[in-house]
Amino acid sequence: MDRVLIFDTTLRDGEQACGCSMTATEKLRLAALLAELGVDHLEAGFPIASEGDFEAVSRIARDIRGPVITALARAKTLDIERAAKALSAAKRSRIHTFIATSPVHRQHKLKLTQEQVLDAAVEAVRHARRFSDDVEFSAEDATRTEPDFLCSVARAVVEAGAGTVNIPDTVGYATPEDFSALIAQVVAAVGDRAVVSVHCHNDLGLATANSLAGVRAGARQVECTLNGIGERAGNAALEEVVMALRTRQDAYGLETAIQGPGLYPASQALVECISFGPQPNKAIVGRNAFAHEAGIHQDGFLKERTTYEIMDPKDVGVPESRLILGKHSGRHALKIRAGHLGQTLEGAALERAYQAFIALADRQKGVSDDEILRIAQGAALATA
Ligand code: KIV
Ligand code: ZN
């Protein structure tokens, strides 16, 4: 398959993060945007968790068309039945059931043996298949699970009817090298009987790198969130995974169905629903992702955009690149900005304005357009 399926979990794993809980109405609004963006799968919530989440999943299942609407359920009968009920109005739906497989979770959290975990996983998938033809199984904390046991679980759940086997790096512990080796093992174990999926957390800042390493090893579904929100340090950021695959098509040779120009508007819509925005230097959607301050960069950018930009901001829905005028900026950018503000600067006037601008920029964090205009007008008058 030369396509990577994008499984968005902004409304489930993303919502689980501090400061990210959303109302059913907010979730519905974001779900409509995610559908327009072209996500293949939309995880709408965890219906057993609360009445509100049940309602949100039900409304999304009823109103949103396009993506496969997914609901999360622990490997428990009641969870699965609640998920199935919430999804009942969907045109295309998936039940996503999970149980932890790692020794630390088995021993301390579940108090179950390997055999009991495997049986619970198989029983959950069988039960979910009574309600849906499309069932995904996740082995929580897969990256700290004995690889041979993980592969046995993967084979068993596929045998029981799971069409997708998800390998979460639940605690963000993996490195790209070991994650890629693990995914290759799981892909070999399930063959072409199921899609192998990756779900990476960002505790070491490696979520996107690990997701891409998984894709290289044969995973064909990536679970991710807008702005990378999610438990603790977050999940792999949808916009990063998509734009890495697109920008480095030469390296991956794989496509997604995401409409790039929808990325920034969707990111901004999410910000309106939660309590924080992306960090300014966040890849793709951060305020500074297409901003240049250093004079050498500004000069190169003004001569040819691709000297310092590997993506066109318009391709991700950012209206335009920005030249920030600060103490590292040069004459070229100052001249252009003054021109945009209505003051032509040439020769001695430009030099005079530049010296005044640098002196001011050295004393403060940035220089505003009003200050630039004042400096430019003063320099033009003084050299007239
Ligand atoms: O991180 C995780 O393990 C999860 C699973 C429920 C898929 O979010
Ligand atoms: Zn997760």
Side-chain angles (χ1 to χ4, degrees):
M1 199 160 88
D2 59 3
R3 183 123 113 63
V4 175
L5 300 167
I6 296 296
F7 177 115
D8 179 89
T9 184
T10 307
L11 305 182
R12 199 279 298 168
D13 210 327
E15 203 211 7
Q16 284 174 217
C18 310
C20 293
S21 76
M22 297 172 229
T23 63
T25 305
E26 286 168 334
K27 281 187 156 197
L28 195 62
R29 173 181 172 220
L30 289 175
L33 281 175
L34 287 163
E36 249 176 65
L37 192 61
V39 304
D40 300 282
H41 297 269
L42 195 164
E43 189 161 54
F46 190 9
I48 196 90
S50 72
E51 278 306 317
D53 226 24
F54 179 85
E55 186 202 333
V57 177
S58 310
R59 283 174 64 182
I60 291 169
R62 191 189 61 205
D63 294 352
I64 303 297
R65 293 292 175 259
V68 177
I69 310 300
T70 301
L72 187 68
R74 287 168 298 182
K76 289 175 186 274
T77 308
L78 283 182
D79 279 40
I80 291 167
E81 290 172 4
R82 195 83 178 131
K85 191 160 180 214
L87 291 170
S88 59
K91 189 139 189 261
R92 299 196 299 151
S93 65
R94 166 179 292 186
I95 297 176
H96 176 192
T97 186
F98 74 99
I99 189 166
T101 50
S102 67
V104 63
H105 281 244
R106 291 193 317 257
Q107 190 186 335
H108 299 287
K109 186 179 85 174
L110 301 173
K111 305 198 186 312
L112 294 176
T113 62
Q114 278 192 351
E115 203 184 344
Q116 287 168 321
V117 165
L118 190 140
D119 288 347
V122 166
E123 189 38 51
V125 170
R126 284 203 185 117
H127 194 54
R129 280 298 305 261
R130 293 185 184 112
F131 302 97
S132 175
D133 288 342
D134 188 345
V135 172
E136 169 170 334
F137 173 79
S138 283
E140 190 189 9
D141 204 19
T143 50
R144 293 191 298 169
T145 299
E146 304 88 336
D148 287 345
F149 176 55
L150 182 65
C151 288
S152 304
V153 172
R155 273 190 295 266
V157 293
V158 170
E159 191 61 33
T164 301
V165 178
N166 184 39
I167 306 301
D169 183 24
T170 303
V171 288
Y173 178 74
T175 64
E177 295 74 22
D178 51 46
F179 195 57
S180 151
L182 184 66
I183 296 300
Q185 241 182 297
V186 177
V187 168
V190 304
D192 58 8
R193 292 172 303 147
V195 173
V196 174
S197 166
V198 290
H199 173 116
C200 298
H201 281 269
N202 207 29
D203 299 66
L204 294 174
L206 292 172
T208 298
N210 285 337
S211 303
L212 295 170
V215 165
R216 267 197 201 275
R220 285 297 175 267
Q221 174 177 287
V222 176
E223 302 198 354
C224 45
T225 59
L226 292 171
N227 296 355
I229 65 166
E231 289 278 9
R232 305 178 308 283
N235 287 64
L238 181 151
E239 61 277 6
E240 293 175 13
V241 171
V242 167
M243 291 314 291
L245 290 173
R246 191 155 297 166
T247 308
R248 296 306 313 275
Q249 239 275 338
D250 61 319
Y252 293 98
L254 294 163
E255 289 174 359
T256 72
I258 297 296
Q259 302 295 317
L263 288 170
Y264 184 68
S267 157
Q268 290 293 297
L270 173 65
V271 172
E272 287 168 19
C273 298
I274 61 174
S275 62
F276 58 90
Q279 71 210 47
N281 60 336
K282 166 81 183 60
I284 324 290
V285 295
R287 181 160 36 88
N288 294 348
F290 295 94
H292 309 271
E293 176 166 336
I296 295 169
H297 290 215
Q298 291 179 335
D299 185 51
F301 169 84
L302 287 165
K303 287 173 174 152
E304 165 54 40
R305 186 187 63 76
T306 57
T307 52
Y308 286 101
E309 282 186 355
I310 57 166
M311 292 168 275
D312 187 329
K314 293 197 175 54
D315 290 344
V316 299
V318 171
E320 57 187 2
S321 307
R322 292 184 307 129
L323 296 184
I324 306 299
L325 290 181
K327 73 174 193 182
H328 302 107
S329 305
R331 292 166 184 77
H332 196 162
L334 177 63
K335 177 179 161 158
I336 300 245
R337 176 67 60 82
H340 284 158
L341 296 170
Q343 181 62 60
T344 306
L345 285 178
E346 298 287 356
L350 175 58
E351 192 52 35
R352 191 180 182 101
Y354 178 69
Q355 295 308 332
F357 160 74
I358 287 295
L360 181 62
D362 244 344
R363 296 197 300 270
Q364 57 190 48
K365 289 275 179 241
V367 182
S368 71
D369 280 355
D370 282 352
E371 290 167 326
I372 289 168
L373 187 58
R374 238 187 346 266
I375 288 171
Q377 286 170 338
L381 264 179
T383 53

